[in-house]
Amino acid sequence: MFTTLWTALITPMNQNGEVNFSDLRKLVKLQEDAGNGILVIGSTGEGLALNDTEKREIVGFMDDYDPSVPWMIGVGGFNAAAQKKWIEYGNSTGADAFLLVNPLYAKPGNEGQFEWFSALMDIAEKPCMLYNIPSRTGTNMSPEVFRRLSSHPNCRALKEASGSIQVFEAFRIAAPEIPVYSGDDALLPYFANAGATGLVSVSSNVWPLQTKRYVEMCLSGNFNSIFPVWKEAVAALFSASNPVPVKSLLYQKKIISTGSVRAPLSTRDLPSEEALFEVDKKITNWFNQQ
């Protein structure tokens, strides 16, 4: 899928909740300068809280910007017809790939999941990364479903975010020819040891170069300086529902204009801004020592 690190980009917003495209340009440039792939309108980008017009505007912005790094469009929901229509729109853009997640809330069984992903990949005219995140969808993709889907020509990668090394290993065994990415920043050292191709990251929003170095070290098996600083940093970035903490830290660092999020998320759920500030200093020190 073109790169070992994809940044699941936040959607920056003004105080009134409107998308801030000036800040979005700055964020895309930071990822481009670091050489990281970019995922827009994923769960970190609050894709389900955006309306169709806003999503099209964000994708249109990316198309006009035409970054020098690969970029990917998130596809998520539970209405099959709507997702197919969204993919058809994405086909007309310069995006390099789609991220396809299990349908939300419906909790389909194996056949339902197989038919869902197959139908979406049939419509897609770009490579697809499948996405297993049962904590958000309520459904765990089975390795058997992944094995069956792996023969589809548009099935090019999997983002695994169940939080289980055993599940990750089961996916690797089910379809060893398909790259599997960690969807959890903290687990990359373990997943890399089990054959991960790379990371789809939240932390690279605020630490694009530092996270790239972290990924390189994990994939090379060099874990000596990673613990405990990265474990502490990632814990702070997930101290409230994603992307509340990472937006707060980006705002503290004056990279974005506000830390605003869309309902039902709330910045009041963040337990400590000071903790974020402290881990930012630690990551900076860690990077400078490499």
Side-chain angles (χ1 to χ4, degrees):
M1 290 291 289
F2 323 115
T3 178
T4 57
L5 174 58
W6 290 91
T7 297
L9 202 68
I10 67 153
T11 300
M13 297 171 183
N14 297 321
Q15 201 68 48
N16 63 3
E18 294 178 350
V19 177
N20 186 319
F21 285 95
S22 176
D23 283 352
L24 182 58
R25 180 174 294 275
K26 287 191 290 185
L27 293 171
V28 171
K29 182 67 163 57
L30 285 172
Q31 300 305 321
E32 187 179 39
D33 289 346
N36 301 335
I38 300 169
L39 165 67
V40 293
I41 317 179
S43 52
T44 302
E46 299 172 82
L48 292 176
L50 300 169
N51 62 42
D52 287 345
T53 298
E54 290 170 324
K55 291 193 293 185
R56 284 175 178 257
E57 287 174 345
I58 291 169
V59 171
F61 168 87
M62 293 294 295
D63 214 20
D64 291 340
Y65 187 105
D66 190 23
S68 59
V69 294
W71 62 285
M72 179 162 49
I73 299 172
V75 180
F78 58 85
N79 183 291
Q83 304 318 305
K84 290 177 182 178
K85 187 175 180 180
W86 177 238
I87 290 173
E88 287 172 346
Y89 169 71
N91 285 338
S92 67
T93 73
D96 296 284
F98 293 110
L99 180 73
L100 310 181
V101 69
N102 253 330
L104 310 180
Y105 192 76
K107 300 179 69 174
N110 284 359
E111 289 305 314
Q113 293 180 53
F114 177 77
E115 292 171 10
W116 168 268
F117 283 113
S118 296
L120 297 185
M121 287 192 290
D122 285 346
I123 296 291
E125 297 174 2
K126 304 175 186 293
C128 296
M129 178 186 287
L130 310 187
Y131 184 13
N132 183 47
I133 182 162
S135 64
R136 287 189 181 270
T137 66
T139 304
N140 204 3
M141 184 194 304
S142 76
E144 174 59 19
V145 169
F146 181 50
R147 183 194 65 77
R148 293 169 63 192
L149 291 168
S150 68
S151 63
H152 195 289
N154 278 333
C155 181
R156 303 291 185 86
L158 174 72
K159 177 185 176 182
E160 160 51 23
S162 70
S164 167
I165 297 172
Q166 290 73 28
V167 171
F168 177 90
E169 291 175 336
F171 281 127
R172 290 282 296 130
I173 293 169
E177 73 283 2
I178 302 294
V180 182
Y181 286 73
S182 173
D184 188 319
D185 291 74
L187 291 180
L188 181 62
Y190 309 100
F191 283 6
N193 195 48
T197 295
L199 174 67
V200 183
S201 175
V202 173
S203 63
S204 54
N205 275 278
V206 70
W207 303 311
L209 288 171
Q210 295 90 333
T211 306
K212 185 174 185 177
R213 181 63 180 140
Y214 168 67
V215 171
E216 291 170 348
M217 293 178 70
C218 288
L219 294 180
S220 68
N222 181 7
F223 306 134
N224 292 339
S225 74
I226 288 174
F227 302 106
V229 62
W230 273 95
K231 183 177 181 181
E232 182 181 352
V234 173
L237 286 185
F238 287 88
S239 58
S241 294
N242 181 43
V244 172
V246 72
K247 277 192 164 185
S248 176
L249 185 52
L250 285 165
Y251 174 55
Q252 286 183 46
K253 291 169 69 69
K254 302 188 187 310
I255 296 171
I256 58 176
S257 304
T258 77
S260 298
V261 292
R262 288 270 179 95
L265 297 180
S266 172
T267 57
R268 294 180 179 179
D269 286 323
L270 185 66
S272 171
E273 291 185 350
E274 182 63 27
L276 292 171
F277 181 73
E278 289 300 318
V279 296
D280 180 60
K281 290 194 297 184
K282 291 180 180 180
I283 288 295
T284 299
N285 291 336
W286 171 86
F287 185 67
N288 290 338
Q289 293 169 7
Q290 299 308 306

